[in-house]
């Protein structure tokens, strides 16, 4: 009976999402109706869901989200991302396609202080694309590397997606953060390898030149050092603090936010700029927390109805091999990536997919990194492709079309899926570092 109700509610949830209902409202509505049908009395259902919501928001781990969002927003507004990009450019002058590689390197480092890909996509659309255009880079190649490398923000810690996954599955946030480091660096190397090969094979898409971006004087160099090396120091503070057991994730987020505010102050941010960053962090965080509350209600519905065992029994009953189940999960994630945002995809699927993967014998941490990578790929798929739309909106060159960005991002979409399969088949890529450090 419970399994049938859950399936009906899942069907209703899909219909509501297709009709354009906000994902949080759809989750709350379906959870309420489902629990009501199971319990038989509206008052009991309301009490169950009320307790679920209360337990969801009272966990101190939720403080991590607004603090890391604030850290990334302050760094993004301070101009430190531009400093970092120019430092990377000077350090990579001998490589083919060095401006594109500097974009990847800058995004890799910037990802370690943002937690969201949208901030990186917006920042580097304004910073990197004009420089590549000025150097004669092909338009499709330039916008593709900006959109593709921005995906690193969802994998390299501190990642909001990793935090949401940890909350839903009750995994350690610190373990997931450290698990994302090696796959994140691997993905950045795959991106850089593609750029080097493409620029060597077809020099016209990334013409070689030796001049640095700007002939910086002493004052400009000092400003760059404050921004660029300030970001590196912030990364060491946050990730190093977790790595060496000095901070819990919540404490690391607090110190990271304070460090970002200090860098912003040194870069010239004052009252209005700081307030705008705080308000924007609130605007970003509030919808995520609302979604997490409704996702906890949704998880309670699945648990009460025995949905995971029910759906798992359905898959096993038709004789699917483990790799077929994983392939089906990948297909669902990629299709959902064409329609809705990444946080919503995790909230909808992870309460079902994660227990099934564990039942099939997959390591929960490696599966989490695998899942984040596949969901990341969905950020680049049409028609939704939120990163593509972010790049389009942030680009100063309005002649760039959405089609050109989607086309340029396609190689990065493929490489993300390659990295995800590497983590799935070689789980030690994700599990080795957490085992050593924690």
């Amino acid at each position: 009976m419970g399994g049938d109700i859950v399936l009906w509610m899942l069907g209703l949830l899909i219909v509501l999402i297709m009709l354009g209902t906000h994902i949080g409202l759809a989750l709350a509505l379906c959870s309420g109706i489902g629990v009501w049908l199971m319990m038989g009395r509206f008052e009991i259902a309301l009490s169950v869901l009320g307790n679920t919501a209360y337990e969801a928001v009272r966990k101190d781990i939720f403080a991590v989200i607004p603090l890391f969002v604030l850290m990334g927003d302050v760094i993004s507004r301070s101009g430190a991302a531009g400093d970092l990009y120019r430092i990377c450019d000077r350090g990579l002058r001998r490589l083919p396609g060095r401006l594109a590689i500097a974009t990847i390197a800058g995004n890799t480092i910037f990802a370690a202080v943002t937690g969201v890909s949208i901030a990186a996509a917006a920042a580097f659309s304004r910073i990197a694309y004009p420089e590549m255009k000025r150097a004669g880079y092909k338009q499709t190649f330039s916008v593709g590397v900006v959109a593709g490398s921005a995906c690193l923000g969802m994998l390299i810690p501190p990642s909001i997606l990793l935090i949401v996954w940890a909350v839903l599955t009750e995994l350690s946030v610190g373990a997931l953060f450290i698990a994302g480091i090696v796959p994140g660096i691997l993905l950045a190397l795959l991106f850089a390898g593609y750029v080097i090969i493409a620029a060597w094979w077809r020099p016209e898409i990334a013409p070689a030149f030796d001049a640095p971006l700007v002939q910086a004087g002493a004052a400009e160099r000092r400003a760059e050092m404050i921004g660029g090396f300030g970001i590196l120091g912030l990364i060491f503070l946050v990730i190093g603090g977790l790595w060496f057991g000095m901070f819990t994730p919540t404490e690391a987020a607090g110190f990271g936010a304070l460090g970002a505010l200090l860098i912003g102050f040194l870069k010239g941010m004052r009252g209005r700029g700081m307030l705008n960053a705080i308000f924007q962090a609130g605007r970003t965080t509030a919808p995520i927390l609302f979604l997490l509350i409704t996702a906890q209600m949704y998880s309670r519905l699945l648990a009460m109805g025995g949905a995971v065992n029910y759906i798992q029994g359905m898959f096993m009953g038709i004789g699917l091999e483990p790799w077929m189940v994983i392939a089906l999960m990948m297909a669902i994630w990629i299709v959902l990536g064409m329609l809705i945002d990444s946080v919503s995809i995790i909230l909808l699927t992870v309460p079902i997919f994660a227990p099934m993967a564990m039942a099939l014998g997959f390591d929960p941490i490696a599966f989490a990194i695998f899942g984040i990578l596949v969901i990341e790929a969905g950020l680049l798929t049409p028609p939704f492709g939120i990163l593509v739309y972010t790049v389009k909106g942030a680009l100063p060159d309005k002649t760039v079309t959405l089609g050109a960005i989607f086309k340029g991002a396609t190689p990065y979409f493929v490489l993300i899926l390659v990295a995800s399969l590497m983590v799935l088949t070689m789980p030690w890529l994700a599990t080795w570092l957490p085992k050593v450090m924690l």
Side-chain angles (χ1 to χ4, degrees), residues 85-424:
Y85 179 64
R86 288 184 286 274
I87 291 171
C88 290
D89 168 71
R90 281 196 289 272
L92 299 167
R93 288 177 61 181
R94 296 185 179 277
L95 292 175
R98 69 179 173 89
L99 286 179
I101 297 175
T103 303
I104 294 168
N107 261 312
T108 303
I109 300 171
F110 192 58
V113 294
T114 56
V116 290
S117 291
I118 293 175
F124 282 88
S125 294
R126 300 186 187 99
I127 296 166
Y129 174 77
E131 300 299 338
M132 287 187 277
K133 181 182 179 181
R134 193 175 298 120
Y137 280 45
K138 187 178 177 181
Q139 185 185 82
T140 304
F141 183 74
S142 301
V143 294
V145 73
V146 171
S149 59
C151 285
L152 292 163
M154 291 300 189
L155 180 63
I156 294 176
S159 160
I160 298 302
L161 292 190
L162 288 174
I163 296 170
V164 174
W165 191 298
V167 169
L168 290 179
T169 58
E170 298 184 356
L171 291 173
S172 163
V173 173
L176 280 187
F177 275 3
I178 294 175
I181 294 174
V182 173
I185 294 172
L186 171 65
L187 185 59
L189 292 174
L190 288 174
F191 287 170
Y194 160 72
V195 166
I196 291 171
I197 293 170
W200 172 77
W201 187 260
R202 297 174 58 202
E204 69 275 10
I205 67 173
F209 70 105
D210 293 326
L213 293 179
V214 289
Q215 299 294 338
E220 289 82 1
R221 287 291 181 93
R222 280 197 300 272
E224 283 182 12
M225 294 301 172
I226 291 172
F229 287 99
I231 289 177
L232 295 177
L234 198 58
I235 293 169
F236 180 79
L237 175 68
V238 174
I239 306 303
L242 288 171
W243 191 312
F244 295 109
M246 296 165 58
F247 304 142
T248 66
T250 308
E251 292 165 347
F255 279 105
L258 284 174
L261 290 170
L262 176 60
I263 293 171
F265 182 82
L266 294 175
K267 290 289 294 177
M269 288 183 71
R270 293 298 183 266
R272 183 172 293 276
M274 294 290 188
L275 282 176
N276 287 338
I278 293 169
F279 289 149
Q280 183 57 46
R283 285 190 287 268
T284 302
T285 302
I288 295 175
L289 293 179
F290 174 67
L291 285 171
L292 283 170
I293 291 170
T294 56
Q296 294 289 336
M297 297 179 180
Y298 170 65
S299 297
R300 178 63 63 91
L301 170 67
L302 296 178
M304 291 177 63
V308 175
N309 293 334
Y310 189 82
I311 296 172
Q312 184 178 328
M314 288 175 56
F315 281 133
M316 300 309 172
I318 57 178
L320 290 182
E321 296 289 333
W323 69 268
M324 295 179 183
V325 176
I326 295 296
L328 183 60
M329 292 179 184
M330 289 183 70
I332 291 171
W333 276 330
I334 292 172
V335 170
L336 287 176
M338 301 177 186
L339 304 171
I340 57 178
D341 65 278
S342 301
V343 172
S344 298
I345 294 171
I346 291 178
L347 298 179
L348 286 172
T349 60
V350 167
I352 296 174
F353 287 1
M356 286 179 59
M358 291 178 63
L360 293 171
F362 292 97
D363 182 89
I365 290 179
F367 180 76
I369 302 302
F370 162 77
I372 294 293
L373 280 164
V374 178
I375 292 168
E376 268 188 281
L379 298 174
L380 302 174
T381 52
F384 191 78
I386 189 169
L387 281 186
V388 173
Y389 284 89
T390 301
V391 170
K392 170 63 177 171
L395 281 176
D397 182 0
K398 299 307 177 185
T399 65
V400 180
T401 64
L402 284 172
I405 305 174
F406 278 119
K407 181 179 178 182
T410 299
Y412 302 93
F413 169 80
V414 174
L415 289 173
I416 292 171
L417 293 183
V418 169
S420 72
L421 293 174
M422 291 176 69
V423 171
L424 188 68

